[in-house]
Amino acid sequence: MGDHGTALRLHSVDENIRFGGATGIGSMPGSDAREAARTVIGSFEDFPFLPELPARGPGADMIGRTAGMLVELYARVEPSGWRLGDRPGRDTSRARSWLGEDLDALEEFTQGHRGDLKVQAVGPWTLAAALELRNGEAALSDPGACRDLAASLAEGLRLHLAEVRRRVPGARLVLQLDEPSLTAVLSGRVRTASGYRTHRAVDRQVVEATLRDVIAAHGDGPVAVHSCAPDVPFALLRRAGADAVSFDASLLTERDDDAVGEAVEAGIRLFAGVVAGTDGPLSDPAGSVMGVRTLWRRLGLRPGLLTEAVTVTPACGLAGASPAYARQVLAHCVRAARSLADNPE
């Protein structure tokens, strides 16, 4: 792995897409959109994100929020979860209303913003694993439904990104696709409605092609794919066109080294989740990124390239955190990124 440094130098000059040193994942505690926007944008001047507030209830959760973005497909809440239906109902309206409220708050607090701005949506495979068809089974069970869902999502994302661009015209938009179920989809571990069986693993080429189509919805804009599950498929995401991969750094093992190193030398940005998303003691900022430095040494990468290739984040969303802890975590990520830049060794 010792030749990664040379390869990355070539990418870092011309090809590697630059991002801010720290950002968040997406979800925040509480239900006040203005307070969440104020906190996020005050914490991350270089790389803020559009907050999500699932505590408001169905439609503000990650699946409902993205279901509300779909074009010509609609979903409603059933006791078992979100189910696709024929027409928009109150659940769709609620999801769209809350998203509009969040965009209003974002617009208010990003006046004059000229840097990166991240928006999040659930990716096609986690959406297919979560949304039910009329028979109660996941859309994942029907290849045709998966194709329709991905096409609807891609069109919905184009419209959503255009709306954010209109509201914050100076920003470079970064699209994050949340795919926590991706590994389960690839390995055939998504359970059927009965819970007694699992859905068949989806062919990796199909998964890759579908992700590529949805990533293309952002045109030439940068796209990150986030998963806080183990065994993130770095190589597949790189081939699908992701510019960054967001992951829980505590779940990486030496078995992932080759895939991570190849991603970095291909110019992929690593969004390294180094701080727990639920309340607990925080180490000093330098200690939080010690694992990233250790990874870098294992890969044989030059320490000076760390800040060109790594963005520091929480390990996952902060919906389950207390408001005070969430604020501390965001500030901690900024300090940890500064520590990485000041002392990459």
Side-chain angles (χ1 to χ4, degrees), residues 260-309:
V260 174
E262 287 165 6
V264 171
E265 70 179 10
I268 301 297
R269 183 85 177 189
L270 303 181
F271 285 18
V274 300
V275 188
T278 52
D279 290 40
L282 291 172
S283 70
D284 67 290
S288 292
V289 289
M290 187 58 68
V292 177
R293 293 187 179 98
T294 301
L295 171 68
W296 228 243
R297 285 194 292 271
R298 277 206 318 266
L299 296 178
L301 294 166
R302 190 159 59 80
L305 299 172
L306 262 172
T307 54
E308 293 183 18

Side-chain angles (χ1 to χ4, degrees), residues 189-279:
R189 289 190 283 109
V190 176
R191 293 205 166 275
T192 59
S194 70
Y196 295 121
R197 296 185 299 109
T198 56
H199 292 288
R200 184 179 303 171
V202 181
D203 182 88
R204 296 182 78 88
Q205 289 185 319
V206 173
V207 169
E208 181 183 323
T210 300
L211 280 167
R212 185 180 298 111
D213 290 345
V214 174
I215 285 170
H218 194 19
D220 294 331
V223 177
V225 179
H226 167 70
S227 172
C228 46
D231 301 318
V232 175
F234 285 89
L236 185 151
L237 295 176
R238 173 172 54 84
R239 291 193 303 269
D243 300 289
V245 178
S246 173
F247 56 94
D248 180 345
S250 71
L251 299 178
L252 282 187
T253 68
E254 293 191 22
R255 193 176 65 236
D256 298 303
D257 281 3
D258 283 349
V260 174
E262 287 165 6
V264 171
E265 70 179 10
I268 301 297
R269 183 85 177 189
L270 303 181
F271 285 18
V274 300
V275 188
T278 52
D279 290 40

Side-chain angles (χ1 to χ4, degrees), residues 13-34:
V13 172
D14 300 316
E15 299 170 49
N16 198 38
I17 294 180
R18 308 291 181 114
F19 296 97
T23 190
I25 298 300
S27 67
M28 292 286 288
S31 57
D32 186 330
R34 293 184 74 254

Side-chain angles (χ1 to χ4, degrees), residues 161-174:
L161 290 162
E163 174 66 8
V164 180
R165 201 172 288 117
R166 182 184 69 77
R167 290 171 177 261
V168 194
R172 180 183 74 156
L173 298 187
V174 178

Side-chain angles (χ1 to χ4, degrees), residues 10-344:
L10 299 174
H11 284 280
S12 65
V13 172
D14 300 316
E15 299 170 49
N16 198 38
I17 294 180
R18 308 291 181 114
F19 296 97
T23 190
I25 298 300
S27 67
M28 292 286 288
S31 57
D32 186 330
R34 293 184 74 254
E35 178 59 30
R38 181 189 294 112
T39 299
V40 165
I41 291 152
S43 300
F44 299 117
E45 294 180 3
D46 295 331
F47 199 178
F49 60 93
L50 174 64
E52 303 164 2
L53 301 173
R56 291 178 297 196
D61 61 296
M62 61 185 285
I63 299 300
R65 185 181 183 88
T66 301
M69 298 180 190
L70 297 175
V71 173
E72 295 182 1
L73 286 178
Y74 312 101
R76 64 181 185 273
V77 178
E78 297 287 344
S80 54
W82 284 88
R83 182 170 296 182
L84 291 166
D86 294 326
R87 59 184 67 84
R90 65 182 182 184
D91 297 321
T92 299
S93 298
R94 188 186 300 118
R96 291 175 177 173
S97 175
W98 274 327
L99 179 57
E101 185 180 304
D102 294 338
L103 289 171
D104 288 343
L106 180 78
E107 183 177 4
E108 177 183 349
F109 289 102
T110 52
Q111 293 298 308
H113 179 71
R114 307 293 300 178
D116 286 336
L117 173 63
K118 183 164 68 68
V119 298
Q120 306 82 219
V122 176
W125 293 107
T126 295
L127 204 58
L131 287 179
E132 299 174 358
L133 301 174
R134 290 181 186 84
N135 63 4
E137 286 295 350
L140 188 65
S141 64
D142 182 335
C146 290
R147 287 192 294 272
D148 291 345
L149 194 55
S152 174
L153 175 62
E155 185 57 32
L157 288 173
R158 288 187 191 96
L159 296 173
H160 177 54
L161 290 162
E163 174 66 8
V164 180
R165 201 172 288 117
R166 182 184 69 77
R167 290 171 177 261
V168 194
R172 180 183 74 156
L173 298 187
V174 178
L175 172 63
Q176 175 181 300
L177 296 175
D178 291 320
E179 282 283 15
S181 298
L182 182 58
T183 303
V185 167
L186 288 165
S187 57
R189 289 190 283 109
V190 176
R191 293 205 166 275
T192 59
S194 70
Y196 295 121
R197 296 185 299 109
T198 56
H199 292 288
R200 184 179 303 171
V202 181
D203 182 88
R204 296 182 78 88
Q205 289 185 319
V206 173
V207 169
E208 181 183 323
T210 300
L211 280 167
R212 185 180 298 111
D213 290 345
V214 174
I215 285 170
H218 194 19
D220 294 331
V223 177
V225 179
H226 167 70
S227 172
C228 46
D231 301 318
V232 175
F234 285 89
L236 185 151
L237 295 176
R238 173 172 54 84
R239 291 193 303 269
D243 300 289
V245 178
S246 173
F247 56 94
D248 180 345
S250 71
L251 299 178
L252 282 187
T253 68
E254 293 191 22
R255 193 176 65 236
D256 298 303
D257 281 3
D258 283 349
V260 174
E262 287 165 6
V264 171
E265 70 179 10
I268 301 297
R269 183 85 177 189
L270 303 181
F271 285 18
V274 300
V275 188
T278 52
D279 290 40
L282 291 172
S283 70
D284 67 290
S288 292
V289 289
M290 187 58 68
V292 177
R293 293 187 179 98
T294 301
L295 171 68
W296 228 243
R297 285 194 292 271
R298 277 206 318 266
L299 296 178
L301 294 166
R302 190 159 59 80
L305 299 172
L306 262 172
T307 54
E308 293 183 18
V310 175
T311 293
V312 176
T313 73
C316 215
L318 297 172
S322 67
Y325 179 78
R327 288 191 295 271
Q328 290 172 0
V329 165
L330 301 187
H332 188 90
C333 287
V334 172
R335 290 195 294 269
R338 195 173 299 132
S339 166
L340 212 52
D342 292 345
N343 183 20

